[in-house]
């Protein structure tokens, strides 16, 4: 089953340019189960569509952390009120 996951980049290391976006996108697209990735330096969000049977949010966040970016997973149920 596919699930959309949004990570917000926090901390000192930020996405600052298109090169940063592409680096994150390439790294995550290489993970088994990832269907789509979109990193956005303007709003510091990384949107991932992945197969939950293969990959979970913690694994995705760990891969991004390996690239030097600290993130937190956005809970979609609390995003809108």
């Amino acid at each position: 089953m596919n699930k959309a996951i949004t990570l917000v980049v926090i901390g000192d290391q930020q996405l600052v340019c298109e090169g940063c976006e592409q680096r994150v996108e390439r790294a995550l697209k290489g993970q088994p189960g990832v269907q789509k990735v979109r990193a956005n330096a303007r709003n510091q969000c990384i949107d991932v569509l992945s197969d939950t049977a293969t990959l979970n949010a913690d694994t995705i966040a760990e891969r991004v952390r390996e690239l030097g970016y600290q993130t937190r997973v956005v809970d979609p149920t609390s995003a809108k009120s």
Side-chain angles (χ1 to χ4, degrees):
M1 175 180 184
N2 288 338
K3 180 179 179 182
I5 299 167
T6 299
L7 300 152
V8 176
V9 178
I10 57 175
D12 294 333
Q13 181 71 20
Q14 299 280 298
L15 299 170
V16 294
C17 64
E18 188 175 324
C20 297
E21 294 171 345
Q22 291 174 355
R23 181 173 173 239
V24 169
E25 290 172 1
R26 274 193 309 269
L28 292 179
K29 284 179 184 174
Q31 296 293 301
V34 171
Q35 306 299 318
K36 291 183 182 181
V37 180
R38 175 68 181 118
N40 189 322
R42 189 175 47 194
N43 64 9
Q44 295 301 306
C45 286
I46 304 167
D47 297 309
V48 182
L49 181 64
S50 67
D51 179 357
T52 57
T54 307
L55 196 62
N56 64 34
D58 292 336
T59 305
I60 294 168
E62 177 59 31
R63 181 64 183 117
V64 174
R65 192 171 19 261
E66 290 170 359
L67 297 172
Y69 301 100
Q70 183 181 358
T71 62
R72 75 175 160 78
V73 178
V74 176
D75 180 357
T77 59
S78 66
K80 294 184 180 179
S81 48

